[in-house]
Amino acid sequence: MTALDLSLPAASAADAAPQAKSLIGLTREGLRAALIESGLVDEKKARMRADQLWRWIYHYGVTDFADMTDVGKELRGRLAERFTLARPELADKQVSNDGTVKFLIRFAPGVEAESVFIPDVGKAGALCVSSQVGCTLNCTFCHTGTQALVRNLTAEEIVAQVMVARDHLEEWPTSNENRRLTNIVFMGMGEPLYNLDQVDNAIAVIADGDGLSISRRRITVSTAGVVPKIPELGERTSAMLAISLHATNDDLRNELVPLNKKYPIAELFAAIRAYPGLGNARRVTFEYVMLKGVNDSEAEAKALVQLLKGVPAKINLIPFNPWPDSPYECSDWDTIEAFAEVLNRGGYASPIRTPRGRDILAACGQLRSESKKLRASERRKAEQDAANPG
Ligand code: SAH
């Protein structure tokens, strides 16, 4: 290649004006650092300014610096030149006939993930957020598992999912009464414990009482069982723990959740029992997907009761949600009820999760985006195409 090839894409990209950075999703520390780095706020005042902006961003949900009425007009103008309060692009929004809403969010060209708002869960409603685009785990019954990992989401991108949902619900400023969005579950795409640093930062923003103010007791992180990260999750985030169990013996679990080969059931339960703060008011949620003829026998229900002995637990029985070409069927309703009955007699609350949002592929395990991991050259091209449409 000649050194004088001026048609190289990199040259035109370098000439373009630097894009204004969105402040959405930053932690307090990140916000302070961004203000200092911009040179608009001197270091001594940075904490005060960051706290001021924080409230506007996360309590009031403003999308325009002009609305920040206690910030001087000149500074507001300069902030608006350097930064934005833009949310990531909402590529699609679908509303199920049961009120479930699925958001497809485009974080960057070709990097899309879904989040799902489910009304009438928890005190009022839960938002199911994604922590990765795609997944590495390949659980055989999960649609997301058929999509290769594209990348981890950043804390900003995780928080942005909450901001988008709150925009949709028009729940600004943050209120303490009559909220529709009260709970956050990390049960969307990806394995949160493979992205713990970002999940931890996102939880710090979401739980902050001066902002989105969703308390850590109402934030649940679900894992397929990344055992070495489980204690860390508890110590760093104080979030509620959920475990995608789905089988009571290693042979079957190896098949359904291949991660089990690395961290078998005995090791998983040792980590669960040691999770900080467990008690009757803070139980572990076990998710158990009901697969016809695979894991739904009465003997397995009894084995589950044995396995959970001494663990403060509740069990969510999830009727299998089919997806295109999925290799399983959902257990019959009678079978699911009989399974639940054994658990109830064993002393465990085991609500059967009514499938929500199935008609729009928004139910557990149905999430998948078209995003693929691109080579660097393909990614640059996609970014350029997005910057210069048409
Ligand atoms: N990787 C984490 C977070 C994803 S949670 C984890 O595995 O816990 C998504 C939940 O939906 C998990 O409990 C998963 O086992 C369940 N799930 C996946 N596919 C499903 C399907 N087709 N039907 C019902 N539930 C499913």
Side-chain angles (χ1 to χ4, degrees):
M1 196 196 291
T2 69
L4 283 175
D5 185 356
L6 295 177
S7 66
L8 277 180
S12 57
D15 290 344
Q19 253 207 322
K21 176 183 164 65
S22 175
L23 297 178
I24 294 303
L26 291 176
T27 59
R28 269 185 203 270
E29 189 42 45
L31 187 55
R32 197 176 74 98
L35 293 177
I36 294 172
E37 201 197 325
S38 73
L40 299 178
V41 172
D42 82 65
E43 214 165 325
K44 280 196 224 105
K45 287 201 176 144
R47 182 170 304 278
M48 182 274 283
R49 284 293 183 208
D51 288 349
Q52 221 175 6
L53 263 61
W54 180 272
R55 232 177 129 67
W56 288 112
I57 296 172
Y58 296 120
H59 178 76
Y60 290 103
V62 301
T63 54
D64 189 342
F65 288 99
D67 294 335
M68 299 183 170
T69 47
D70 62 355
V71 178
K73 199 166 174 193
E74 191 188 324
L75 179 56
R76 283 186 334 227
R78 292 183 173 233
L79 286 168
E81 285 164 13
R82 291 295 286 271
F83 299 110
T84 79
L85 299 168
R87 284 65 165 134
E89 186 187 342
L90 189 54
D92 194 18
K93 179 165 87 180
Q94 284 175 276
V95 183
S96 159
N97 50 28
D98 66 19
T100 301
V101 186
K102 182 164 85 166
F103 305 95
L104 175 65
I105 302 178
R106 184 172 297 146
F107 297 103
V111 182
E112 298 174 358
E114 294 176 324
S115 46
V116 179
F117 175 68
I118 313 153
D120 313 312
V121 170
K123 211 174 118 207
L127 183 72
C128 176
V129 297
S130 293
S131 55
Q132 300 182 312
V133 177
C135 193
T136 54
L137 294 178
N138 300 312
C139 300
T140 50
F141 51 85
C142 179
H143 200 197
T144 311
T146 65
Q147 178 183 10
L149 180 71
V150 176
R151 69 163 168 80
N152 283 335
L153 290 175
T154 64
E156 290 92 310
E157 290 167 335
I158 295 169
V159 173
Q161 297 172 53
V162 182
M163 304 291 283
V164 165
R166 291 274 297 263
D167 290 346
H168 166 82
L169 296 169
E170 299 184 358
E171 290 206 307
W172 302 112
T174 302
S175 83
N176 284 318
E177 299 147 34
N178 305 323
R179 286 193 201 180
R180 289 211 279 154
L181 171 45
T182 53
N183 293 56
I184 301 288
V185 295
F186 283 80
M187 296 185 185
M189 296 163 62
E191 171 48 54
L193 296 199
Y194 280 153
N195 191 18
L196 185 52
D197 289 342
Q198 301 298 320
V199 166
D200 180 23
N201 279 336
I203 290 176
V205 176
I206 295 167
D208 191 293
D210 274 335
L212 294 165
S213 200
I214 297 173
S215 91
R216 291 170 190 267
R217 287 189 324 269
R218 297 189 186 285
I219 301 178
T220 301
V221 176
S222 179
T223 177
V226 185
V227 166
K229 293 284 181 183
I230 290 176
E232 213 180 312
L233 172 72
E235 281 147 25
R236 291 173 67 177
T237 72
S238 301
M240 305 294 283
L241 177 65
I243 301 285
S244 292
L245 189 62
H246 310 311
T248 55
N249 64 74
D250 282 324
D251 280 347
L252 181 59
R253 196 161 190 271
N254 286 346
E255 194 185 311
L256 301 178
V257 183
L259 182 66
N260 193 71
K261 293 181 209 152
K262 207 162 170 189
Y263 308 116
I265 291 177
E267 287 177 32
L268 177 59
F269 272 81
I272 294 168
R273 286 172 196 280
Y275 196 72
L278 288 190
N280 266 341
R282 270 175 67 85
R283 296 172 198 233
V284 181
T285 301
F286 288 89
E287 294 145 281
Y288 196 97
V289 61
M290 299 300 293
L291 304 171
K292 187 175 192 162
V294 175
N295 66 353
D296 60 355
S297 70
E298 206 167 313
E300 277 158 313
K302 286 181 181 155
L304 185 51
V305 172
Q306 285 303 316
L307 197 54
L308 295 184
K309 263 218 169 100
V311 182
K314 59 183 172 222
I315 304 147
N316 282 344
L317 295 180
I318 316 175
F320 171 69
N321 293 306
W323 34 272
D325 300 322
S326 52
Y328 300 101
E329 281 176 76
C330 182
S331 308
D332 297 329
W333 201 253
D334 290 352
T335 312
I336 301 179
E337 283 189 337
F339 198 97
E341 180 55 31
V342 173
L343 301 179
N344 288 336
R345 267 188 276 128
Y348 291 99
S350 55
I352 303 170
R353 285 278 157 197
T354 324
R356 303 294 299 270
R358 267 186 179 176
D359 54 333
I360 54 169
L361 285 187
C364 297
Q366 292 184 312
L367 303 186
R368 186 183 195 280
S369 67
E370 294 303 321
S371 303
K372 287 191 307 251
K373 187 165 186 148
L374 301 180
R375 286 195 298 271
S377 58
E378 291 171 317
R379 195 170 60 238
R380 276 196 301 274
K381 175 153 189 329
E383 277 162 11
Q384 266 183 9
D385 290 350
N388 310 305

